[in-house]
Amino acid sequence: MNKVIPKHSFVGTRAVKLDAPDKATGRTRYINDLVLPRMLYAKIRRSERVHARILRVDTAKAKALPGVVAVITAADTPEIAIGVLKDNPPLKRDRVRTIRDEIAAVAAESEAICDEALRLIEVEYEDLPTVFDCTEALQPGAPVIHANRPDNIAMAHQFDHGDVAAAEAASDFVVEGAYNVHYVTHCNLGVSCCVADVDVEGRVTLYSQTQYPFIMKMDIAPSLGVHPGDLRVIQPPVGGAFGSKLDVYPYEPICVLLAQKTRRPVKLVFSREEEFVASPTRQPVEFRIRAGMKRDGTLTFRDVDTLLNNGGYTSWGATTPFVTMRTISSHYRVPHVRYRARAIYTNNPYAGSFRGYGNVQATWAVETHMDKMAEVAGLDPIAFRLKNANEPGDVTPQGARLANIDLKGCLRIAAEKSDFLRKWAAYRAGRAAPGRIKRGIGIAASLHNAGGAKIHKSDGCGTILKLDDYARATVITGGSEIGQGLDTVIAQLVADELGLALRDITVVMNDTATGPWDVGVHASRSTYIAGNSARRAARKARAMILDEAAKQANVGVAQLDLRAGFVVQADNGVAIVAIDKLLRQMHFAGEDAKLVMVTDYYEPPSENEDKNHVGDMSAAYSHAAHVAEIAVDTRTGEIKVETIWSVQDVGRIVNRNGIEGQIEGGIAMGLGYALSEELVIERGRVRNPSFRDYHVMTAPEMPKIDMTFLETGDAEGPAGAKGIAELPTIVIAPAVGNALYNATGVRIDHPPLAAEKVARAIWERAQRSTRAAP
Amino acid sequence: MPLAQELKPLEIDAYVDAVSLDAAVRALADGAGTPVAGGTDLWIQKDLGKRAYGRRLVNIRRVAALGGIAEEGGRIRIGALATMTEILESPLLLRAAPVLPATADRFASVQIRNAATVGGNIANASPAADMVLPLLCLDAEVELARWHENRIDRRRLPLAAFFAGPGKTRALPGELITAVSFDRPAAGSFGAFQKSGPRPALEIARVALCIAGRREGRRLTSVRIAAGAVAPTPIRCPRTEAEIEGVALDDAAIARALESLGREIAPIDDVRGSAWYRRHLAAAFLEEELGRVARS
Amino acid sequence: MSLEVEIAFTLNGRAVSAAVPATASALTVLRERFDLAGAKLVCGEGECGACTIIVDGLSRNSCLMPAVDLAGRTVRTVEGLWGERGLDPVQQAFVDTGAVQCGYCTAGMVMQIRHALDRNPAAGEAELRRAIEGNVCRCTGYAKVIEAALAAGQRMRGGGAP
């Protein structure tokens, strides 16, 4: 009697993250823990000036220090620059433009010797005029940061749709606003780190925290005089990344240059202070918004002008307008749109990409502004947003085809679950009542790409999958695991197709020598694209197994299924043959031998934007709505976020643990952005390069989180899933800001809503009303 | 092979693991020793090499005579090595001076409370030292010892007179804090500690304020007020205390007290907060505490 | 190189000894002399808890602890929690609830929660949130960490899975 096996799916369950046992027992070795034989340590001598000519660099004393193996400066390096505009030489030759600028680097037997050697390097500077503010940098006669950009404009973007002037003329209300969003930084627990190893042929193995290993090869190789094909990128486990490693930054080429020079492996690790000063930030932006509407609250136009403080060099921060633009043009129905963005060179540190990528900033501005407009229209925040919400089938001004979306559902459920309207009215009425603690409630919604973003010629990912004689599957994916849980999602998707258990799946990733090409971890794309590719590969393997089984059993393939390691009859689950036995039969079949080894390359059905920024650039889109309920101490200005209601369209849940963890973690990061995190930069210098003075959320500060997942089921996504990890970070801050307004009547346009800023605003308003009183 | 993460080459000639007070003060006698106990301020690695250290490292962690929290003859003595956790959990202090455990509860984190000592918090002379404020309100004295003319020379100094400036104390070279002591507060005394948030503890105070005294209806007597991070050292606010002493607290009296406090503190602007905010918070804390009494 | 001091102590149940630089931290010595890389150097100033170990029953930031002060003490690290009877209940709960993402804070979190539950296996949510106020996690938002801590407490008290 053959056993009967019921159908089981790992998709939708709480799957244990594949690497969790190793991480919970201290077995995992992270890149920061990596030690290679004969390895040297490296450190970078950075500028002490924010803008200066380098007159002299003397490394003689450092070179003479026992234990120092090499000291390099620009004089030892090829004249090649890195970064989005190739404006950033890894080692600066004759000029420093920011406090983080790299002047020299040391390789030595220990970090302590490196530190001592750095102190022995003599640098003579001649200070140059400085500029830190975008508007000042645009004035005629302002200090020029890069000679080839005399106007200090590093990058400019614009988008026009419809006729804004005519729309304005036809508007009943026009609301204006200005929002300046601040510097924050990733605070990865694992500081920036790499290890470079060069073989006798000159081939380089770079152990890197990079999030885009394959494209990185092209980006970094020229600065090293190495063919991209001779560069292997291995990504050991990392202590967080969150977008910080989507570009090449100077320390990686410097590390390789030292390995080339010393012919020994070299490891370069930042100090925590260096991490705060010399790793990328989120892009700060100054928004000027004008938006119009009809008397009934129907949006008529948005006209947005932004200045981005680019800092001294150009990394991905300067390109965040690509995403900001999407929110300006496509979040709610806006028939006429004008958007201008200019990234301005200054002597500040520079921004890279950071979870939410331009949309955190955009959503702060748009959702704060929407709240103001609702009030002008005389509508509550929910009704106003519902009136203007996008619907499935909408094609936005930038050509995004919003198919399986449910913004209205997100808004309605968030409002219902939080009892929003009742509380909102009650708290507004409570502003005037006596009492130091005020309560408030606020909502915000956001739109984000949920199926990658085609910013390169391909947004694809490849998979190689093989099954061995014991029915264990190895999935080699181009996708990268950086802690977010792609490893487990892939195992779940593959296990379901092949009727195997999760522990039967080995996911091999994070090495360009084994994995097929992938764009990298960004744009909420990995589950969607790497997941789709893995699933398609698994389907090919499944077909091979079923074909063989069908032939042997003399039945149709459709009558068979794979469950729990067996080929079974699809209708009743009766086991026919163990998969491993079948695989061995296929393998040891003489000249007919078949090993199950398949490949797949998945290219999502998305488009590059045209020159006018029109194109359906993601394979899926998604919304989230968050409600924040807060208590504000009107004396101290301290905001206690009590509850967050998070409603997010996730397509379909793959790993319930993973998706909850991403949303909870995204909310924590977003709350830090809203409340406490700010990298304070004064005259180009970071004033708070420490966790003592840069406060990320800690456990006692976190609110209760009530999560609702809308499973809209994406037609293209793997098992219906969408990318989810950026939205919670994007949407939360304006919900808190809107709640503060609800509680106090005080509107803070420039985050973070730090206690002092809130206290000051409330105090100033009280002073004004005292003066105004008769 | 050197350790990869070894410190900047900090020159230490000798290490002394002192097991008695005698051994500790002898090792520190020439003023060239650095005592280490909890390490939470001393051992911050990036500061090593920037701070001045003696060339002899003297570990005092195991000196039994420096530990313990006890009462003798109406006086409570907290050994210099008592940790914040020990203060937080001391049955004696919870009964006799609960403001000390309440302050310890707002101090850093569990791990740091497990390591940081009251002696270290005083010796470090930070303007923002949390535990100093309730001790100032308790009129505590610092007990000091040094090796002098072949014997242990002990003295006591009012805590309020101990601080000379940020990071500076009036301890003599080679002198070690052995304890802090104060008279057991009279029955019916109260004390309250307030500190900037919103974190419950893990924050270097932008402002902290402690008030102690005895409540008699809407009046406070034996009033003590101390404030942190509003001056180069933690300070007592005697004029504000006098303003409040014995007065029936109403809105006008509270307003006078706040005005006085504003004159007694001299906060600065720094990255943690502006002088304006420090004044604003200090006033808010005092107003809250006095308001509680006024409404009682 | 600075002065070295010979120390002996008990590490995860075994008697060990080492010559350590007088200025080295316990963290550096555990990582580099004893190859225990679970505890991490993250902030180096007691603000993050990633280096948490348990010394004589008390959780400590090993980055702030002089290595020389390990002498004579009993030290537990995250590696020592996985024993012959399997994973520690805290470790098991972290795995089961999804409290691990990048995992860089995990060793410190596990040790700090173990410390909290050793002192009070019945600790509730508010107490546990305070217990890890000195442990920063950038990935999880702490929700699953607290869920894991509560589940581990229940298991340590002899209850089944919650």
Side-chain angles (χ1 to χ4, degrees):
Chain A
M1 182 71 190
N2 280 344
K3 63 178 173 178
V4 172
I5 304 172
K7 201 162 178 60
H8 173 78
S9 174
F10 288 99
V11 167
T13 63
R14 294 189 180 278
V16 165
K17 190 166 179 340
L18 302 185
D19 57 10
D22 277 352
K23 287 176 172 175
T25 50
R27 279 169 45 84
T28 300
R29 292 290 160 131
Y30 291 78
I31 183 168
N32 306 61
D33 304 323
L34 187 64
V35 178
L36 297 182
R38 297 187 70 236
M39 189 175 81
L40 296 170
Y41 296 85
K43 292 256 178 205
I44 294 169
R45 169 67 187 261
R46 297 183 184 278
S47 173
E48 295 126 323
R49 311 295 176 90
V50 292
H51 197 193
R53 227 184 297 284
I54 301 171
L55 300 180
R56 186 178 66 92
V57 181
D58 187 343
T59 60
K61 284 181 193 152
K63 281 178 175 157
L65 184 72
V68 169
V69 181
V71 182
I72 58 170
T73 65
D76 306 294
T77 60
E79 277 201 56
I80 287 172
I82 55 174
V84 170
L85 292 181
K86 306 290 178 227
D87 59 3
N88 192 358
L91 285 159
K92 278 51 175 179
R93 197 166 299 272
D94 50 12
R95 195 166 170 188
V96 291
R97 296 176 176 85
T98 78
I99 195 69
R100 58 171 289 183
D101 276 21
E102 299 79 5
I103 295 173
V106 175
E109 301 288 349
S110 79
E111 290 195 330
I113 297 168
C114 287
D115 283 331
E116 183 61 17
L118 292 187
R119 272 197 285 270
L120 294 174
I121 296 172
E122 292 169 14
V123 184
E124 205 178 310
Y125 305 93
E126 179 189 303
D127 281 325
L128 292 168
T130 53
V131 64
F132 307 103
D133 175 83
C134 293
T135 306
E136 284 172 22
L138 288 171
Q139 299 305 312
V144 173
I145 309 299
H146 287 271
N148 64 341
R149 293 280 202 288
D151 57 4
N152 283 332
I153 297 175
M155 264 189 170
H157 296 87
Q158 65 181 69
F159 176 71
D160 292 281
H161 180 80
D163 186 340
V164 165
E168 179 167 358
S171 298
D172 293 314
F173 299 110
V174 174
V175 179
E176 301 193 16
Y179 308 93
N180 298 347
V181 297
H182 56 304
Y183 282 102
V184 295
T185 188
H186 305 74
C187 296
N188 301 318
L189 294 197
V191 287
S192 297
C193 169
C194 64
V195 181
D197 193 11
V198 182
D199 74 9
V200 292
E201 305 277 355
R203 290 175 302 205
V204 178
T205 299
L206 182 62
Y207 299 85
S208 168
Q209 294 159 321
T210 186
Q211 295 177 236
Y212 76 129
F214 296 93
I215 300 175
M216 182 205 200
K217 289 164 63 142
M218 294 184 300
D219 280 359
I220 194 173
S223 63
L224 306 169
V226 173
H227 187 277
D230 287 340
L231 183 72
R232 175 180 182 181
V233 180
I234 297 177
Q235 305 150 273
V238 298
F242 308 108
S244 61
K245 302 299 192 296
L246 267 172
D247 199 357
V248 172
Y249 294 103
Y251 71 95
E252 292 193 311
I254 286 171
C255 188
V256 178
L257 291 165
L258 285 168
Q260 287 172 328
K261 192 172 176 78
T262 61
R263 297 172 304 283
R264 288 171 66 176
V266 176
K267 180 179 190 177
L268 193 152
V269 189
F270 280 19
S271 70
R272 176 55 59 184
E273 187 174 358
E274 201 174 15
E275 185 76 7
F276 273 104
V277 172
S279 59
T281 68
R282 191 184 290 288
Q283 179 64 57
V285 187
E286 299 170 28
F287 287 87
R288 297 286 175 277
I289 297 188
R290 302 172 69 255
M293 61 185 165
K294 293 296 207 183
R295 200 164 302 283
D296 70 352
T298 307
L299 292 175
T300 49
F301 76 95
R302 264 189 205 141
D303 182 355
V304 180
D305 213 316
T306 61
L307 290 177
L308 289 70
N309 196 320
N310 195 57
Y313 304 96
T314 309
S315 180
W316 286 100
T319 71
T320 51
F322 279 112
V323 175
T324 302
M325 187 186 294
R326 290 267 158 184
T327 296
I328 303 292
S329 71
S330 307
H331 185 30
Y332 302 104
R333 288 173 166 169
V334 192
H336 303 275
V337 180
R338 177 185 173 279
Y339 172 64
R340 297 286 181 273
R342 285 171 294 169
I344 312 300
Y345 279 124
T346 67
N347 294 116
N348 275 350
Y350 45 99
S353 59
F354 192 168
R355 190 183 199 173
Y357 197 79
N359 203 356
V360 172
Q361 298 93 321
T363 297
W364 171 266
V366 165
E367 285 289 330
T368 307
H369 205 68
M370 286 291 283
D371 233 48
K372 292 182 186 177
M373 294 183 81
E375 190 168 13
V376 171
L379 292 174
D380 70 65
I382 308 293
F384 180 65
R385 285 175 173 81
L386 285 172
K387 180 173 245 338
N388 291 292
N390 291 101
E391 298 256 28
D394 279 5
V395 178
T396 76
Q398 275 190 270
R401 291 190 282 275
L402 305 179
N404 301 333
I405 56 143
D406 194 3
L407 173 56
K408 288 186 169 176
C410 289
L411 288 165
R412 284 199 184 105
I413 292 167
E416 278 164 24
K417 292 198 81 176
S418 62
D419 194 12
F420 185 91
L421 289 176
R422 187 190 64 76
K423 289 177 183 169
W424 180 76
Y427 295 154
R428 193 173 53 166
R431 283 176 193 166
R436 175 166 150 179
I437 307 296
K438 298 290 177 197
R439 296 167 62 81
I441 195 165
I443 189 165
S446 186
L447 162 71
H448 202 64
N449 47 277
K454 195 161 283 183
I455 56 170
H456 304 283
K457 282 179 188 151
S458 165
D459 195 28
C461 175
T463 306
I464 300 166
L465 188 152
K466 66 146 186 142
L467 280 155
D468 69 9
D469 293 340
Y470 312 103
R472 300 293 202 269
T474 299
V475 188
I476 307 169
T477 174
S480 300
E481 171 62 28
I482 58 169
Q484 83 279 40
L486 177 64
D487 55 352
T488 313
V489 160
I490 283 177
Q492 290 176 278
L493 291 165
V494 169
D496 276 8
E497 294 299 332
L498 296 178
L500 299 177
L502 288 184
R503 69 183 306 282
D504 299 333
I505 317 285
T506 298
V507 182
V508 174
M509 56 207 306
N510 293 20
D511 183 348
T512 58
T514 54
W517 195 84
D518 175 63
V519 171
V521 183
H522 77 126
S524 296
R525 68 182 286 281
S526 290
T527 289
Y528 199 96
I529 291 166
N532 252 338
S533 178
R535 189 163 184 250
R536 284 159 38 122
R539 285 188 167 174
K540 290 175 189 171
R542 174 188 172 90
M544 285 179 73
I545 296 165
L546 289 179
D547 275 349
E548 182 70 21
K551 206 161 59 190
Q552 287 190 9
N554 203 18
V555 295
V557 167
Q559 290 163 264
L560 301 175
D561 194 8
L562 302 179
R563 295 179 193 173
F566 286 86
V567 181
V568 302
Q569 294 178 36
D571 53 356
N572 57 17
V574 171
I576 297 170
V577 61
I579 296 173
D580 63 336
K581 186 174 170 193
L582 184 71
L583 287 166
R584 287 193 294 271
Q585 287 168 358
M586 291 167 73
H587 180 184
F588 302 107
E591 287 185 1
D592 295 330
K594 277 200 284 276
L595 278 186
V596 178
M597 297 185 294
V598 297
T599 65
D600 180 76
Y601 184 74
Y602 172 68
E603 182 65 49
S606 47
E607 306 165 354
N608 290 121
E609 288 184 353
D610 65 18
K611 63 182 179 356
N612 297 318
H613 295 295
V614 174
D616 190 24
M617 60 93 178
S618 184
Y621 300 89
S622 173
H623 289 91
H626 279 193
V627 169
E629 186 171 14
I630 68 170
V632 194
D633 183 326
T634 55
R635 286 303 300 273
T636 64
E638 287 163 14
I639 293 175
K640 169 78 186 157
V641 180
E642 295 178 334
T643 310
I644 298 293
W645 287 267
S646 158
V647 184
Q648 183 167 334
D649 165 14
V650 301
R652 174 141 183 234
I653 296 166
V654 179
N655 184 355
R656 194 172 282 272
N657 273 353
I659 207 163
E660 288 176 357
Q662 284 295 320
I663 288 175
E664 290 157 348
I667 286 172
M669 194 170 263
L671 284 176
Y673 188 75
L675 296 173
S676 65
E677 291 184 37
E678 179 169 23
L679 198 66
V680 180
I681 296 173
E682 287 174 7
R683 300 194 60 77
R685 290 169 195 267
V686 177
R687 291 283 314 281
N688 56 340
S690 146
F691 282 119
R692 285 203 164 170
D693 295 317
Y694 184 103
H695 280 187
V696 301
M697 286 284 124
T698 57
E701 298 167 90
M702 283 299 294
K704 178 175 178 296
I705 297 172
D706 180 308
M707 279 177 282
T708 305
F709 305 111
L710 297 191
E711 297 198 75
T712 50
D714 190 71
E716 174 74 15
K722 293 183 180 182
I724 59 101
E726 291 176 284
L727 267 170
T729 300
I730 291 165
V731 68
I732 187 85
V736 176
N738 292 338
L740 175 68
Y741 180 72
N742 179 236
T744 62
V746 165
R747 179 68 80 178
I748 293 191
D749 291 328
H750 315 313
L753 312 178
E756 172 166 353
K757 199 187 288 180
V758 172
R760 181 98 200 182
I762 292 171
W763 179 80
E764 282 176 352
R765 194 192 47 178
Q767 297 300 107
R768 279 197 303 274
S769 61
T770 310
R771 277 200 303 274
Chain B
M1 199 176 109
L3 298 180
Q5 289 180 353
E6 195 187 323
L7 315 179
K8 286 131 202 157
L10 172 70
E11 291 303 326
I12 295 286
D13 296 338
Y15 169 72
V16 177
D17 193 3
V19 290
S20 68
L21 179 60
D22 190 83
V25 293
R26 278 169 185 254
L28 294 166
D30 62 0
T34 298
V36 57
T40 55
D41 285 314
L42 191 70
W43 226 250
I44 293 175
Q45 313 262 310
K46 72 181 165 62
D47 293 343
L48 291 177
K50 290 183 199 162
R51 297 168 65 133
Y53 290 94
R55 297 171 71 87
R56 189 181 315 113
L57 198 61
V58 182
N59 185 357
I60 59 169
R61 189 88 199 181
R62 278 156 238 248
V63 179
L66 296 177
I69 301 172
E71 182 177 7
E72 208 186 309
R75 202 158 168 87
I76 294 173
R77 186 175 183 281
I78 303 175
L81 288 183
T83 63
M84 296 301 153
T85 297
E86 286 164 10
I87 290 172
L88 181 59
E89 295 174 353
S90 160
L92 170 63
L93 295 180
L94 283 165
R95 217 169 40 242
V99 68
L100 292 173
T103 302
D105 188 51
R106 305 288 310 270
F107 190 101
S109 64
V110 175
Q111 293 95 317
I112 291 179
R113 293 194 286 272
N114 283 341
T117 64
V118 67
N121 199 232
I122 293 169
N124 204 40
S126 161
D130 289 333
M131 191 50 76
V132 168
L133 302 187
L135 289 169
L136 284 173
C137 287
L138 290 162
D139 289 320
E141 291 184 320
V142 191
E143 300 185 12
L144 300 154
R146 63 172 176 149
W147 188 252
H148 186 58
E149 293 174 351
N150 287 318
R151 61 176 187 84
I152 297 178
D153 190 15
R154 296 172 185 268
R155 64 171 180 142
R156 300 206 317 200
L157 208 62
L159 181 60
F162 187 63
F163 301 110
K168 290 199 179 69
T169 72
R170 297 209 159 83
L172 300 169
E175 205 167 35
L176 185 68
I177 297 173
T178 56
V180 60
S181 60
F182 51 88
D183 288 340
R184 182 186 178 119
S189 298
F190 89 102
F193 176 81
Q194 291 237 16
K195 181 175 160 182
S196 55
R199 289 181 175 181
L202 188 67
E203 161 150 333
I204 294 172
R206 277 169 281 190
V207 165
L209 186 121
C210 187
I211 179 167
R214 300 183 62 185
R215 266 167 82 155
E216 292 162 19
R218 284 169 47 222
R219 292 170 205 276
L220 290 176
T221 58
S222 307
V223 183
R224 301 286 183 271
I225 295 171
V230 295
T233 69
I235 56 165
R236 276 277 294 274
C237 304
R239 289 196 295 276
T240 307
E241 293 169 4
E243 195 70 56
I244 299 165
E245 183 73 30
V247 173
L249 289 172
D250 57 15
D251 286 352
I254 293 174
R256 283 196 301 278
L258 298 184
E259 216 176 293
S260 168
L261 180 72
R263 285 193 298 271
E264 273 186 294
I265 62 177
I268 57 164
D269 292 320
D270 69 16
V271 75
R272 292 181 187 134
S274 69
W276 175 86
Y277 187 54
R278 290 191 157 103
R279 289 180 173 282
H280 184 79
L281 270 188
F285 292 162
L286 185 60
E287 184 179 11
E288 184 181 349
E289 293 302 333
L290 297 182
R292 232 191 286 281
V293 178
R295 285 191 305 274
S296 67
Chain C
M1 203 160 85
S2 68
L3 180 81
E4 291 212 335
V5 178
E6 195 72 37
I7 59 168
F9 59 105
T10 303
L11 178 56
N12 293 326
R14 273 189 324 120
V16 297
S17 63
V20 303
T23 52
S25 67
L27 176 65
T28 300
V29 165
L30 291 172
R31 288 177 57 89
E32 298 197 22
R33 288 272 195 265
F34 294 98
D35 201 20
L36 297 172
K40 303 294 183 210
L41 177 67
V42 168
C43 75
E45 55 183 354
E47 294 283 328
C48 78
C51 64
T52 301
I53 59 172
I54 297 178
V55 181
D56 290 344
L58 292 172
S59 63
R60 298 284 300 268
N61 296 118
S62 62
C63 78
L64 294 179
M65 184 176 180
V68 288
D69 199 41
L70 291 170
R73 303 197 186 276
T74 297
V75 177
R76 289 182 90 186
T77 71
V78 73
E79 290 87 351
L81 290 192
W82 175 33
E84 285 171 14
R85 285 180 300 169
L87 294 187
D88 183 90
V90 180
Q91 292 174 317
Q92 189 64 54
F94 265 64
V95 169
D96 294 342
T97 59
V100 180
Q101 287 186 31
C102 91
Y104 218 70
C105 73
T106 301
M109 283 282 189
V110 164
M111 296 310 283
Q112 183 55 26
I113 288 167
R114 178 74 219 194
H115 172 263
L117 294 174
D118 280 344
R119 292 167 79 83
N120 179 15
E125 178 176 340
E127 185 176 336
L128 289 165
R129 283 189 182 274
R130 283 296 310 269
I132 58 166
E133 69 191 337
N135 292 71
V136 167
C137 173
R138 198 57 162 160
C139 296
T140 66
Y142 309 98
K144 302 230 172 295
V145 172
I146 294 295
E147 198 181 311
L150 289 166
Q154 182 144 347
R155 203 164 309 174
M156 285 165 66
R157 296 195 302 274

